[in-house]
Amino acid sequence: MKLKTKGRYAVMAMADLAIFKDEGPISLTDISLRQNISLAYLEQIFIKLKQENLVKSVRGAKGGYVLESPPEEIKISHIISAVDEEIKTLNCKKESKRGCNNKSSKCITHNLWDQLDQHINSFFEKIKLQDLVKKNQMIDK
Amino acid sequence: MKLKTKGRYAVMAMADLAIFKDEGPISLTDISLRQNISLAYLEQIFIKLKQENLVKSVRGAKGGYVLESPPEEIKISHIISAVDEEIKTLNCKKESKRGCNNKSSKCITHNLWDQLDQHINSFFEKIKLQDLVKKNQMIDK
DNA sequence: TTTAATTCATACTGAAACAGTAGGATTTCT
DNA sequence: AGAAATCCTACTGTTTCAGTATGAATTAAA
Ligand code: FES
Ligand code: FES
């Protein structure tokens, strides 16, 4: 069970944006350098963040990205789901032959994974971007 | 973020073992048929479960596996960690150039993933094999 | 004593997913 | 005009996953 880089980077980048939110649009080049993430990869991530209205873009020179909402209103769950697809602990949905759906009823462990899913999502749900920034405000920069 | 089949199958198989625990050693063939999991794959999984003293094996014909402890004493966390390696949400340990370890200090999101890790583990920690069996005792067989 | 059923052990493999790269087009500030 | 940025999409090497495959060792039963 592991986290993918897209989710990890997205949260990092959003946190970076939150820290520098008073300095106008932040370019991905800046974020790339500060957080040590590939620029081209960040571009892909930000397209998704933009689609979810988490950030606003400013094109052209001196452009960049700005948070759409204040950091205290942005849930981590929103960021993760925007780029990292989803938490997949259940197996039964996709007609897999193995393990599940063998008897057209739910497998022994279905409820367990379902609860796990909720447990993880509730974690991301209750943490806001602001919660990350506070702790790192004085460390970074 | 997704669960791997090894962890999923291991919990399934252990639950199966718990359900039929009064019928002597249960063969992997039985589990394979009941839970619809590849036999050869189950064999690999059970070697690990055995190493962790979660099950005991009986070799030869009429052999099979038996739980080492009563279902109410077996934590899901133990099963998962026995086969599924670990929950990997942190990235900083392994000298990766990208994202973490850029400043020889922890990245902005380190604490978040660390907490997530604990959150997930505590979930597996508090659920016992018996909790799964109860709910499915009458459904299966 | 032979056969069948089982665990044990290890090596191999096809397919998919991941984590990026690459290359260019478009927009806008200076 | 030129530089700095976002935008867009296709491609790709590597690793991981999920299983196969093969054979040996052990033991109950016929
Ligand atoms: S996880 Fe839903 S049926 Fe197995
Ligand atoms: S997760 Fe530990 S430094 Fe980034």
Side-chain angles (χ1 to χ4, degrees), chain A residues 41-103:
Chain A
Y41 203 29
L42 272 177
E43 287 174 348
Q44 294 174 46
I45 290 170
F46 270 79
I47 284 173
K48 295 189 177 188
L49 292 175
K50 195 186 168 190
Q51 283 167 355
E52 284 294 316
N53 296 314
L54 284 161
V55 296
K56 206 163 26 186
S57 69
V58 179
R59 302 193 67 173
K62 285 277 173 184
Y65 288 94
V66 184
L67 292 180
E68 272 273 24
S69 324
E72 57 270 24
E73 288 176 14
I74 299 178
K75 294 177 188 169
I76 302 297
S77 58
H78 197 182
I79 303 175
I80 297 277
S81 71
V83 300
D84 200 31
E85 279 79 67
E86 38 178 350
I87 313 296
K88 277 200 277 184
T89 57
L90 286 169
N91 192 36
C92 45
K93 290 170 192 164
K94 43 177 180 178
E95 283 294 330
S96 63
K97 296 157 220 147
R98 281 288 141 87
C100 296
N101 277 344
N102 40 346
K103 294 170 189 168

Side-chain angles (χ1 to χ4, degrees), chain B residues 5 31 43 60 66 70 102 132 140:
Chain B
T5 56
I31 298 179
E43 288 173 346
V66 185
N102 39 346
L132 295 189
D140 277 69

Side-chain angles (χ1 to χ4, degrees), chain B residues 23-108:
Chain B
E23 309 192 2
I26 305 294
S27 74
L28 294 188
T29 308
D30 286 355
I31 298 179
S32 167
L33 292 173
R34 278 197 291 259
Q35 307 303 330
N36 191 27
I37 301 170
S38 145
L39 174 60
Y41 203 29
L42 271 177
E43 288 173 346
Q44 294 174 46
I45 291 169
F46 270 79
I47 284 172
K48 296 190 176 186
L49 293 175
K50 195 186 167 188
Q51 283 168 353
E52 284 293 317
N53 296 315
L54 284 162
V55 295
K56 206 164 27 187
S57 70
V58 178
R59 301 192 68 173
K62 285 278 170 181
Y65 288 93
V66 185
L67 293 180
E68 273 271 24
S69 324
E72 57 270 22
E73 288 176 15
I74 299 176
K75 293 177 188 169
I76 302 298
S77 58
H78 196 181
I79 303 175
I80 297 278
S81 70
V83 300
D84 201 29
E85 278 82 65
E86 38 178 351
I87 313 296
K88 277 201 278 187
T89 56
L90 287 169
N91 193 36
C92 44
K93 291 169 190 165
K94 43 178 180 178
E95 285 293 334
S96 62
K97 294 158 221 145
R98 282 285 142 89
C100 297
N101 278 343
N102 39 346
K103 293 170 190 167
S104 80
S105 66
K106 291 171 186 168
C107 75
I108 314 182

Side-chain angles (χ1 to χ4, degrees), chain A residues 1-3 8-9 34-36 38 88-89 91 97-99 102 108 113 115 119 135-136, chain B residues 1-3 8-9 12 34-36 38 88-89 91 97-99 102 108 113 115 119 136:
Chain A
M1 192 161 202
K2 77 171 66 148
L3 205 63
R8 195 198 313 286
Y9 293 168
R34 279 196 290 259
Q35 307 302 331
N36 190 27
S38 144
K88 277 200 277 184
T89 57
N91 192 36
K97 296 157 220 147
R98 281 288 141 87
N102 40 346
I108 316 181
W113 311 129
Q115 283 169 41
H119 194 247
K135 295 176 188 165
N136 292 277
Chain B
M1 193 165 200
K2 78 171 66 149
L3 203 65
R8 196 199 309 287
Y9 292 170
M12 270 191 196
R34 278 197 291 259
Q35 307 303 330
N36 191 27
S38 145
K88 277 201 278 187
T89 56
N91 193 36
K97 294 158 221 145
R98 282 285 142 89
N102 39 346
I108 314 182
W113 311 130
Q115 283 169 40
H119 194 247
N136 291 278

